[in-house]
Amino acid sequence: MTVSSIAGTAWVRPTVRAIDWTALGLVTATLLVAEGILGWTGVEAPAIIRYAGVAALAAAAALGLGDPAQSLLQPVPTPSVVRLGHRTTLLLGTTASVAGLLVAVGHLVAMTPSGQHDLAAPLLALAATGIAVHAMAGPRIERRQEIAAVTILLWVAAAALPVPATLDALRLAWLEHSWWVVIVTVALTAGVTRRRSA
């Protein structure tokens, strides 16, 4: 193993320790049990329940974006933007793994195709939205990861509310135009972080 490869991954272990995995762990366990029970009984979950599961998973990932060591590490040469990138990388990877595991459990238990795989793009759109809200809130707001999680949950909850036709496209954008949401939120996050690190 070369020095450069060690240096390139030296951030992984401290970042894993710094992330609060509680919410993601609880949501994952709940969704796995629910997917197992529904698959075993042959009951198809209503769409709103599936949307709620996706929202809970994305919101749980957003809760892990908090940087508990921000004030301690302010004098350290690693900027907060880089630490956010590290946490985002690990959380998105874990969330994608959980989504894949849910699909696999649905296939194994029900022996029929699961409907979860069609929610992969909306999950990514909601996760990217949470990251963008977190980035835009800025480091001065202490509980910005909670603001990001609530934003995700409210946006998905809006899918069950009657709204004027003019707002309908915005209300369901995370579901029907997922890739556009990802593109816009990634651009927003990149713009905000670039301006803040300049």
Side-chain angles (χ1 to χ4, degrees):
M1 192 174 272
T2 64
V3 174
S4 61
S5 66
I6 293 171
T9 59
W11 58 269
V12 174
R13 187 172 289 155
T15 305
V16 168
R17 284 197 305 260
I19 291 173
D20 183 359
W21 296 98
T22 308
L24 195 54
L26 289 172
V27 169
T28 299
T30 303
L31 291 177
L32 283 171
V33 168
E35 182 73 25
I37 291 171
L38 289 172
W40 184 65
T41 58
V43 175
E44 173 115 18
I48 194 67
I49 299 297
R50 291 179 35 229
Y51 298 164
V54 169
L57 192 56
L63 286 173
L65 290 171
D67 190 357
Q70 181 178 344
S71 56
L72 179 67
L73 294 176
Q74 211 121 28
V76 174
T78 305
S80 61
V81 171
V82 172
R83 291 196 310 275
L84 174 62
H86 291 163
R87 290 192 308 281
T88 300
T89 300
L90 292 175
L91 286 164
L92 283 180
T94 304
T95 304
S97 300
V98 168
L101 184 60
L102 287 169
V103 171
V105 167
H107 279 285
L108 288 173
V109 175
M111 297 300 179
T112 59
S114 170
Q116 295 289 351
H117 67 279
D118 61 342
L119 293 176
L123 174 62
L124 183 58
L126 291 171
T129 300
I131 294 164
V133 169
H134 184 273
M136 288 187 292
R140 290 195 182 103
I141 298 177
E142 286 184 27
R143 306 185 81 79
R144 58 193 173 150
Q145 68 273 12
E146 292 167 11
I147 294 169
V150 168
T151 301
I152 292 167
L153 295 173
L154 288 176
W155 196 8
V156 174
L161 300 175
V163 296
T166 53
L167 297 176
D168 203 42
L170 180 62
R171 175 185 69 141
L172 295 173
W174 64 272
L175 181 64
E176 296 176 353
H177 306 289
S178 305
W179 292 111
W180 283 111
V181 171
V182 170
I183 290 166
V184 170
T185 53
V186 166
L188 278 171
T189 304
V192 167
T193 53
R194 186 178 295 124
R195 190 178 70 239
R196 197 166 285 140
S197 61

